[in-house]
Amino acid sequence: MLAIDLKGKRAFIAGIGDDQGYGWAIAKMLAEAGAEIIIGTWTPLMKIFTTSLAQGKFNDSLKLSDGSLMKIAKIYPLDALYDTPADVPADVAENKRYLEHSGYTVSEVAAGIAKDFGKIDILIHSLGNAPEVKKP
């Protein structure tokens, strides 16, 4: 493992929807190095992801080399297709998976992170690597 000290640094990883992708692996490595972890999860997956996390389904994958579990400071719903709320089509905004969430556009998530944490030091883009992506 690469020895990097990221204590006191804050990382936002956009695009984690489970414990199998690149985003999760990157989050773990950043946590191993001491960074605080913030996650952006695709809005339609938010409930599934947070429920699985709360039920302990990812506990084995959360385990760090020292035996502790990776801590996630906050999980934001994120749909990077939309920059602002005005960009969200009515049919998307009214979809049941979106109705239960607010603040999921890029500008809203950025504002939420600024309000909640002040700033981030590391930004990881891990969007679009999901099995749902079928077209080049």
Side-chain angles (χ1 to χ4, degrees):
M1 179 187 325
L2 186 61
I4 298 175
D5 183 4
L6 295 176
K7 290 182 184 84
K9 301 294 182 185
R10 191 171 287 129
F12 177 68
I13 301 94
I16 295 179
D18 59 30
D19 65 343
Q20 300 297 305
Y22 290 116
W24 185 270
I26 292 167
K28 275 190 73 171
M29 290 294 101
L30 293 169
E32 287 277 4
E36 181 178 23
I37 304 301
I38 305 165
I39 292 175
T41 296
W42 188 43
T43 308
L45 287 179
M46 184 72 168
K47 186 174 184 178
I48 295 166
F49 179 69
T50 56
T51 300
S52 294
L53 192 62
Q55 291 176 347
K57 292 182 179 178
F58 301 145
N59 281 359
D60 288 342
S61 297
L62 284 166
K63 196 166 288 187
L64 300 176
S65 61
D66 67 1
S68 68
L69 297 181
M70 175 174 69
K71 292 181 176 75
I72 300 170
K74 187 160 183 176
I75 303 168
Y76 291 87
L78 171 65
D79 194 324
L81 187 59
Y82 309 112
D83 291 330
T84 68
D87 298 329
V88 181
D91 63 321
V92 171
E94 294 166 6
N95 180 289
K96 70 178 184 174
R97 291 187 173 175
Y98 283 82
L99 277 174
E100 59 190 319
H101 301 289
S102 62
Y104 52 80
T105 67
V106 172
S107 62
E108 292 171 304
V109 172
I113 291 170
K115 178 180 174 261
D116 296 338
F117 297 96
K119 69 175 186 81
I120 58 171
D121 302 291
I122 302 164
L123 172 65
I124 303 295
H125 177 296
S126 186
L127 303 163
N129 292 318
E132 293 84 8
V133 177
K134 293 181 177 39
K135 296 181 181 178

